[in-house]
Amino acid sequence: MSNPDQRVAVITGASQGIGAGLVDAYRERGHAVVATSRGIAPSQDPDVLAVRGDIADPATAERVISAGLERFGRIDTLVNNAGVFLSKPFHAYTQADYEMVTGINMSGFFRISQLAVEQMLRQGRGHIVQITTSLVDHASSATPAVLASLTKGGLQSATKALAIEYAGRGIRSNAVALGIIRTPMHSPESYGALGDLHPIGRVGEIQDVVDAVLYLDGAPFVTGEILHVDGGQSAGH
C-alpha cells in the first residue's frame, strides 16, 4: 500500500550508470522510485518499481506513469535521464542513426513528460529534470555531435519553455548539462584522454551528476536552469 506522504521519483534509463546512481540516491532520501529502461531487472525493494520498456515508444511512457500511480499514487519528480550519444561526422549519419537518437532523446522525453505534467497539475506541484550535454553550448571539432546538439539542445530549450509555462502552477523544470562522466558508456582505458578534454583535467563521476540533480530537486526558487556539470568545458579552453 502506498504511503500518501512519501515522495515519488520517476527515472528513465535507470538500469546502470547515472540512472542507477539516481535510483539509489532517491531511495536514500526516502523516496519511492519508478525506474525504467529496456533491460531493467525487477527490484526486491518494495519502494522501487521497475518497468521494462523502450522509452522511445510512447506505450512505455504510458505504462511507466500508470504503473507508478497505481503503486504509489503520485509523481513528484521526473528525471529524463535516458539518452544515447553517437559521434560521427554530420554527413556520415544514416537515417537509422537519426531515428534512433531522436527516438530515445526526444520522443523518450516527450510523452512521459506530458503524462508526468498532467499528474503534477493535479497535485499542484512537481519537478522535471532533463539530462543533456555541454556540447550543446560548446561544440568541439574533436567530437562531432550534430545529433546530440539537435536533440539535447531541443531538450534544453524545452526545459526553459516548460519552466515558464508552468511557473505559476507549481511545476519546475531544469536541466543538467554534462561533460564526460565515468560510466559504462566509456572504456576505462579512455578516461585519461577524455579527462584532458575538460579544463579541470578529469572526467566527472556519477556522484557529481547525482548531486546536481538532488540540488535542483531541493531548490524551490530554481527553475529554467541549465546547470553545467562538465569540468569547465562550457566556460572555455
Side-chain angles (χ1 to χ4, degrees):
M1 181 176 294
S2 64
N3 175 356
D5 296 322
Q6 184 180 37
R7 295 182 65 185
V8 179
V10 176
I11 300 168
T12 70
S15 60
Q16 63 179 349
I18 293 167
L22 287 166
V23 172
D24 291 342
Y26 273 100
R27 284 298 296 125
E28 288 171 7
R29 286 197 162 195
H31 289 53
V33 176
V34 185
T36 184
S37 77
R38 283 177 293 186
I40 199 162
S43 175
Q44 299 305 307
D45 183 342
D47 284 329
V48 176
L49 175 62
V51 181
R52 182 175 290 189
D54 181 358
I55 199 62
D57 182 354
T60 296
E62 303 276 351
R63 289 191 298 107
V64 169
I65 297 300
S66 64
L69 291 175
E70 182 178 356
R71 171 76 70 88
F72 302 120
R74 58 191 287 174
I75 303 293
D76 296 280
T77 301
L78 167 63
V79 184
N80 284 304
N81 168 68
V84 62
F85 180 81
L86 184 61
S87 177
K88 282 186 178 182
F90 176 65
H91 63 272
Y93 284 118
T94 66
Q95 184 65 26
D97 294 336
Y98 175 85
E99 291 172 359
M100 177 186 68
V101 176
T102 57
I104 296 172
N105 291 0
M106 295 184 73
S107 299
F109 150 84
F110 189 80
R111 185 58 180 148
I112 198 167
S113 297
Q114 277 190 318
L115 295 167
V117 166
E118 289 173 2
Q119 176 60 26
M120 291 171 183
L121 287 170
R122 288 190 284 269
Q123 297 168 183
R125 67 182 303 278
H127 184 212
I128 302 173
V129 183
Q130 281 61 250
I131 304 298
T132 75
T133 172
S134 66
L135 287 170
V136 171
D137 309 292
H138 189 83
S140 170
S141 60
T143 310
V146 166
L147 283 183
S149 295
L150 174 68
T151 55
K152 296 298 190 176
L155 292 192
Q156 290 191 182
S157 294
T159 294
K160 294 184 178 184
L162 287 170
I164 298 305
E165 183 172 350
Y166 294 104
R169 304 182 72 179
I171 299 173
R172 295 183 300 117
S173 172
N174 292 292
V176 180
L178 304 182
I180 298 168
I181 307 299
R182 191 189 304 269
T183 71
M185 183 182 297
H186 306 290
S187 60
E189 58 269 19
S190 70
Y191 291 143
L194 294 174
D196 291 340
L197 299 175
H198 305 80
I200 208 167
R202 66 170 177 85
V203 297
E205 304 295 339
I206 289 172
Q207 191 62 46
D208 294 322
V209 186
V210 169
D211 289 344
V213 172
L214 293 180
Y215 161 72
L216 292 170
D217 213 22
F221 200 56
V222 178
T223 193
E225 174 66 17
I226 312 299
L227 178 57
H228 289 87
V229 179
D230 64 358
Q233 240 182 347
S234 59
H237 289 274

